[in-house]
Amino acid sequence: MSEFEQSGLPRQAEAEVVAIRQRSPLDEALREGAREMLLKAIESEVAEYVETHQGEVDEDGRRLVVRNGYSRERSLVTGVGTLRVKAPRVEDRRVDEQGRKFRFTSQILPPYLRRTKSVEELIPWLYLKGISTGDFSEALAALVGPDAPGLSATTVVRLKEVWRGEYLAWSQRSLEGERFVYVWADGIYSNIRLDDERQCLLVVIGALEDGRKHLLAVHDGFRESELSWRELLEDLKRRGLELPPKLAVGDGGLGFWAALRKVYPTTREQRCWVHKTANVLDKLPKSMQGKAKQALHDIYLAASRQAAVEAFDEFVDLYEKKFPKAVSCLEKDRDALLTFYDFPAEHWGHLRTTNPIESTFATVRLRQRRTKGCGSREASLTMAFMLIRQAERHWRRLNGSEHIVHVLEGKKFKDGELVQDRAA
């Protein structure tokens, strides 16, 4: 068994680790260059501080703020490796009105900084991507060098507590003043064993007025439960989300819809075509699924509602006699499957599916497959939250975001085109 198999590193990371181990002279030059740049920046910062206060002297005419040698050498873990630096010191003998001494603190290299922000972000990335706690030191040593200090399994344990605090603060944050035009909702089952049942994470993502997508909620509950979803939506409303979204997108099997109609009754409903396609094909023999899938694509990729209705009717006529269950599954959500035609055409690709949630949770499931044994609800929620927040940075803004203002104003769209006000 190779060292990678023993350490539990994901295959995708193996090549990266090998490449990093084979550091060239260029790597050393980059590291030395980074160290020199850092020292010059700190020297400049200190010189500016001393110069700013050069006119302040004691009764004997001696300066109160002067250079005072260098501090002890320390290691700083960075994205280019571990740098050993000696920061210049400042002696500041000034006191304020309460008799407290002033103290110079570098904004570039604070006294207790031992690793840069990029490395701080590397730690949760490694853990959440699948590196087990016991293999943490070896993985980090391969990435940032064998002399990396303070990056151990205990660091991960402390970080988990930090993440828990971040999740609790985030889940109680105020939403006052925020306006979401669209929301996507889904219930994602966890692969981690929690007592005798599988946990379901109830997730809501929303799009703001400028087209940016944000995570709105991650709760645990029951996917088909109206009560679970209503608690989630009522919590959003209580924290300030008073204005209802214009459209919600989700799977038809969610308890979300019954809850939505009670909390935000004016929000329109769009069923997810990915979920619907999978459900319909599941009721057909495999030999017919390829053709049926293309027929379903012809419905929701049609350029107009009328063309979609015609393709819908063709599907019903073709499969109703022999496969009534498949047709019934599709037919029962006919109107809700075609709602997106009443919104800007540039938004259709975003509104036809719950892909913002599905694609993000592929990463969550990767980590959960690496987690052995039973887990806690709190740990699973926290882990999912951290992964989604990382993914959130790379979420794409809605196409045609300039049309969102028209949607929020309640203007009508037909087949994706804005209906002009004749009175104007």
Side-chain angles (χ1 to χ4, degrees), residues 1-2 69 87 138 189 215 223 279 327 331 375 403:
M1 182 180 291
S2 72
E138 182 178 349
Y189 282 105
L215 179 64
R223 193 175 189 273
N279 292 337
V327 171
E331 188 77 72
H403 295 300

Side-chain angles (χ1 to χ4, degrees), residues 298-321:
D298 291 341
I299 300 173
Y300 66 80
L301 294 179
S304 67
R305 180 188 288 270
Q306 181 58 38
V309 169
E310 292 173 1
F312 204 115
D313 291 339
E314 288 179 14
F315 186 96
V316 172
D317 291 342
L318 185 61
Y319 294 99
E320 188 172 27
K321 289 183 180 179

Side-chain angles (χ1 to χ4, degrees), residues 177-181 207-212 401-402 404-405 408:
E178 295 191 3
R179 184 75 195 271
F180 287 87
V181 59
L208 286 166
E209 296 172 90
D210 61 0
R212 289 179 297 119
S401 54
E402 66 274 12
I404 293 176
V405 63
L408 291 173

Side-chain angles (χ1 to χ4, degrees), residues 102-219:
F102 286 95
R103 177 178 296 177
F104 167 75
T105 301
S106 173
Q107 300 300 307
I108 299 172
L109 188 66
Y112 302 105
L113 183 69
R114 290 296 180 269
R115 50 184 175 267
T116 62
K117 185 173 178 59
S118 61
V119 176
E120 290 285 2
E121 292 173 350
L122 172 66
I123 297 172
W125 183 88
L126 283 174
Y127 175 72
L128 295 170
K129 293 293 183 180
I131 303 298
S132 65
T133 306
D135 297 322
F136 222 70
S137 296
E138 182 178 349
L140 285 164
L143 289 168
V144 299
D147 53 345
L151 302 178
S152 62
T154 56
T155 304
V156 182
V157 175
R158 290 195 299 269
L159 276 171
K160 285 198 222 173
E161 287 302 310
V162 173
W163 297 341
R164 175 178 173 275
E166 289 181 11
Y167 170 71
L168 292 175
W170 175 86
S171 61
Q172 297 167 12
R173 75 200 185 286
S174 172
L175 297 171
E176 294 224 13
E178 295 191 3
R179 184 75 195 271
F180 287 87
V181 59
Y182 305 130
V183 295
W184 294 261
D186 205 355
I188 306 295
Y189 282 105
S190 166
N191 291 325
I192 299 176
R193 297 198 307 276
L194 297 161
D195 301 323
D196 295 324
E197 58 181 334
R198 291 175 67 202
Q199 183 182 28
C200 186
L201 301 175
L202 309 182
V203 182
V204 178
I205 290 172
L208 286 166
E209 296 172 90
D210 61 0
R212 289 179 297 119
K213 287 179 284 202
H214 287 281
L215 179 64
L216 262 176
V218 183
H219 287 215

Side-chain angles (χ1 to χ4, degrees), residues 81 146 230 239 279 367 378:
R230 187 166 183 178
R239 290 190 281 120
N279 292 337
R367 171 61 207 173
E378 185 176 75

Side-chain angles (χ1 to χ4, degrees), residues 12-132:
Q12 187 178 359
E14 292 182 14
E16 297 174 9
V17 173
V18 170
I20 291 171
R21 283 179 175 174
Q22 296 172 345
R23 297 190 184 276
S24 67
L26 177 60
D27 295 313
E28 298 302 324
L30 287 172
R31 189 156 43 246
E32 181 59 26
R35 191 181 74 84
E36 290 181 7
M37 288 177 63
L38 176 63
L39 290 176
K40 286 179 180 178
I42 300 171
E43 289 281 0
S44 177
E45 182 185 33
V46 168
E48 182 179 353
Y49 184 85
V50 172
E51 184 178 351
T52 299
H53 302 288
Q54 64 180 343
E56 300 184 50
V57 296
D58 61 15
E59 57 252 8
D60 297 325
R62 293 178 297 184
R63 288 188 181 184
L64 294 175
V65 181
V66 295
R67 285 284 301 269
N68 186 25
Y70 290 87
S71 60
R72 293 175 58 186
E73 187 177 70
R74 57 175 157 142
S75 297
L76 177 67
V77 182
T78 74
V80 295
T82 302
L83 309 180
R84 302 192 68 82
V85 295
K86 275 187 175 183
R89 286 192 310 197
V90 173
E91 183 179 356
D92 193 336
R93 296 193 296 271
R94 296 174 301 148
V95 294
D96 62 16
E97 295 177 353
Q98 285 76 38
R100 293 174 299 192
K101 293 188 64 176
F102 286 95
R103 177 178 296 177
F104 167 75
T105 301
S106 173
Q107 300 300 307
I108 299 172
L109 188 66
Y112 302 105
L113 183 69
R114 290 296 180 269
R115 50 184 175 267
T116 62
K117 185 173 178 59
S118 61
V119 176
E120 290 285 2
E121 292 173 350
L122 172 66
I123 297 172
W125 183 88
L126 283 174
Y127 175 72
L128 295 170
K129 293 293 183 180
I131 303 298
S132 65

